[in-house]
Each structure stands twice: as structure tokens, then as C-alpha cells.
Coordinates of all heavy atoms in Angstrom, one line a residue:
P1 N 82.7 105.4 180.6 CA 83.1 106.9 180.5 C 83.8 107.3 179.3 O 83.4 108.3 178.6 CB 84.1 106.9 181.7 CG 83.8 105.8 182.6 CD 83.4 104.7 181.7
E2 N 84.6 106.5 178.7 CA 85.3 106.8 177.5 C 84.3 106.8 176.4 O 84.4 107.6 175.4 CB 86.4 105.8 177.1 CG 87.7 105.9 177.9 CD 87.6 105.1 179.2 OE1 86.5 104.6 179.6 OE2 88.6 105.0 179.8
L3 N 83.4 105.8 176.3 CA 82.4 105.8 175.2 C 81.4 107.0 175.2 O 81.2 107.7 174.2 CB 81.5 104.5 175.4 CG 80.2 104.4 174.5 CD1 80.9 104.2 173.0 CD2 79.5 103.1 174.9
V4 N 80.9 107.4 176.4 CA 80.1 108.5 176.5 C 80.8 109.8 176.2 O 80.3 110.7 175.4 CB 79.5 108.7 178.0 CG1 78.7 110.0 178.1 CG2 78.6 107.5 178.4
T5 N 82.1 110.0 176.8 CA 82.9 111.2 176.5 C 83.1 111.3 174.9 O 83.0 112.4 174.3 CB 84.1 111.1 177.2 OG1 83.8 111.0 178.6 CG2 85.0 112.5 177.0
S6 N 83.6 110.3 174.2 CA 84.1 110.4 173.0 C 82.8 110.5 172.0 O 83.0 111.2 171.0 CB 84.8 109.1 172.6 OG 86.0 109.1 173.2
V7 N 81.8 109.8 172.2 CA 80.5 109.9 171.3 C 80.0 111.3 171.4 O 79.5 111.9 170.4 CB 79.5 108.9 171.7 CG1 78.2 109.2 170.9 CG2 80.1 107.4 171.4
T8 N 79.9 111.8 172.7 CA 79.5 113.2 172.8 C 80.3 114.2 172.1 O 79.8 115.1 171.4 CB 79.4 113.6 174.3 OG1 78.5 112.7 175.0 CG2 78.9 115.0 174.5
A9 N 81.6 114.0 172.2 CA 82.6 114.9 171.4 C 82.4 114.8 169.9 O 82.4 115.8 169.2 CB 84.0 114.6 171.9
A10 N 82.2 113.5 169.5 CA 82.1 113.2 168.0 C 80.8 114.0 167.5 O 80.8 114.6 166.4 CB 82.1 111.8 167.7
R11 N 79.7 113.8 168.3 CA 78.5 114.5 167.8 C 78.5 115.9 167.7 O 77.8 116.7 166.9 CB 77.4 114.0 168.8 CG 77.0 112.5 168.7 CD 75.9 112.2 169.7 NE 74.6 113.0 169.3 CZ 73.5 112.8 170.1 NH1 73.5 112.2 171.2 NH2 72.4 113.5 169.6
K12 N 79.4 116.5 168.6 CA 79.6 118.0 168.6 C 80.6 118.5 167.5 O 81.1 119.6 167.4 CB 80.1 118.5 169.9 CG 78.9 118.3 170.9 CD 79.3 118.8 172.3 CE 78.3 118.7 173.4 NZ 78.6 119.2 174.7
G13 N 81.2 117.5 166.9 CA 82.3 117.7 165.9 C 83.7 117.9 166.4 O 84.6 118.3 165.7
E14 N 83.8 117.6 167.8 CA 85.1 117.6 168.4 C 85.9 116.2 168.1 O 86.1 115.5 169.1 CB 85.0 117.9 169.8 CG 84.3 119.2 170.1 CD 85.2 120.5 169.9 OE1 86.5 120.2 169.6 OE2 84.9 121.6 169.7
N15 N 86.2 115.8 166.9 CA 86.7 114.6 166.7 C 88.2 114.4 167.3 O 88.5 113.3 167.6 CB 86.8 114.3 165.1 CG 85.5 113.9 164.6 OD1 84.7 113.3 165.3 ND2 85.3 114.2 163.4
D16 N 88.9 115.6 167.3 CA 90.4 115.4 167.9 C 90.1 115.0 169.4 O 91.0 114.2 169.9 CB 91.0 116.8 167.9 CG 91.5 117.1 166.5 OD1 91.5 116.1 165.7 OD2 91.9 118.2 166.1
M17 N 89.2 115.6 170.1 CA 88.9 115.2 171.6 C 88.5 113.8 171.6 O 89.0 113.0 172.4 CB 87.9 116.1 172.1 CG 87.6 115.8 173.5 SD 86.3 116.8 174.2 CE 87.2 118.5 174.2
A18 N 87.7 113.3 170.6 CA 87.2 112.0 170.7 C 88.4 110.9 170.6 O 88.5 109.9 171.4 CB 86.1 111.7 169.5
V19 N 89.1 111.1 169.5 CA 90.3 110.1 169.2 C 91.4 110.3 170.4 O 92.0 109.3 170.7 CB 90.9 110.4 167.9 CG1 91.6 111.6 167.8 CG2 91.7 109.2 167.5
G20 N 91.6 111.6 170.8 CA 92.6 111.8 171.9 C 92.1 111.1 173.1 O 93.1 110.4 173.8
N21 N 90.9 111.0 173.4 CA 90.4 110.4 174.7 C 90.7 108.9 174.6 O 91.1 108.3 175.5 CB 88.9 110.8 174.9 CG 88.4 110.1 176.2 OD1 89.0 110.1 177.2 ND2 87.2 109.4 175.9
V22 N 90.4 108.2 173.5 CA 90.5 106.9 173.3 C 92.0 106.5 173.5 O 92.5 105.5 174.1 CB 90.0 106.4 171.9 CG1 90.5 105.0 171.5 CG2 88.6 106.5 171.9
I23 N 92.8 107.3 172.6 CA 94.4 106.9 172.5 C 95.0 107.2 173.9 O 95.7 106.4 174.5 CB 95.0 107.6 171.4 CG1 94.4 107.3 170.1 CG2 96.5 107.2 171.4 CD1 94.4 105.8 169.8
G24 N 94.5 108.2 174.6 CA 95.2 108.6 175.8 C 94.8 107.6 176.9 O 95.6 107.1 177.7
S25 N 93.6 107.2 176.9 CA 93.0 106.2 177.9 C 93.8 104.9 177.6 O 94.1 104.2 178.6 CB 91.6 106.0 177.6 OG 91.0 105.0 178.5
N26 N 94.0 104.4 176.4 CA 94.7 103.1 176.1 C 96.0 103.3 176.7 O 96.6 102.3 177.2 CB 94.6 102.8 174.5 CG 93.2 102.2 174.2 OD1 92.2 102.3 175.0 ND2 93.1 101.7 173.1
I27 N 96.8 104.3 176.5 CA 98.2 104.5 176.9 C 98.1 104.4 178.4 O 99.0 103.6 179.1 CB 98.8 105.8 176.5 CG1 99.0 105.8 175.0 CG2 100.1 106.1 177.2 CD1 99.5 107.1 174.4
F28 N 97.2 105.1 179.0 CA 97.2 105.1 180.5 C 96.8 103.7 181.1 O 97.3 103.3 182.1 CB 96.2 106.1 181.1 CG 96.1 106.2 182.6 CD1 97.0 107.0 183.2 CD2 95.1 105.5 183.2 CE1 96.9 107.1 184.6 CE2 95.1 105.6 184.7 CZ 96.0 106.4 185.4
N29 N 95.9 103.0 180.4 CA 95.5 101.6 180.9 C 96.6 100.7 180.9 O 96.9 100.0 181.9 CB 94.4 101.1 180.0 CG 93.1 101.8 180.2 OD1 92.9 102.4 181.0 ND2 92.1 101.5 179.2
V30 N 97.5 100.7 179.8 CA 98.6 99.7 179.7 C 99.8 100.1 180.7 O 100.2 99.5 181.6 CB 99.1 99.6 178.4 CG1 100.3 98.8 178.2 CG2 98.1 99.0 177.3
L31 N 100.2 101.4 180.5 CA 101.4 101.9 181.3 C 101.1 102.1 182.7 O 101.9 101.8 183.7 CB 102.0 103.1 180.7 CG 102.5 103.0 179.2 CD1 103.0 104.3 178.7 CD2 103.5 101.8 179.2
G32 N 99.9 102.7 183.0 CA 99.6 103.1 184.4 C 99.0 102.0 185.2 O 99.4 101.6 186.2

């Protein structure tokens, strides 16, 4: 899900969303 979401965002030029999805997911994975 993260791969599809971030790559789709990057292709549309939404790089903030792409990197935010990765970092946010990593935080949630460890802490949550």
C-alpha cells in the first residue's frame, strides 16, 4: 500500500505526500 500510494503521488508531482506517507508509516509501525 505504501509503495503504490507513494509512487502514484510521486508520478503526479506530489512529492510531499510521497515522503510524508513513508515517514508517517515508519513512525506508526514502530510506535504503534
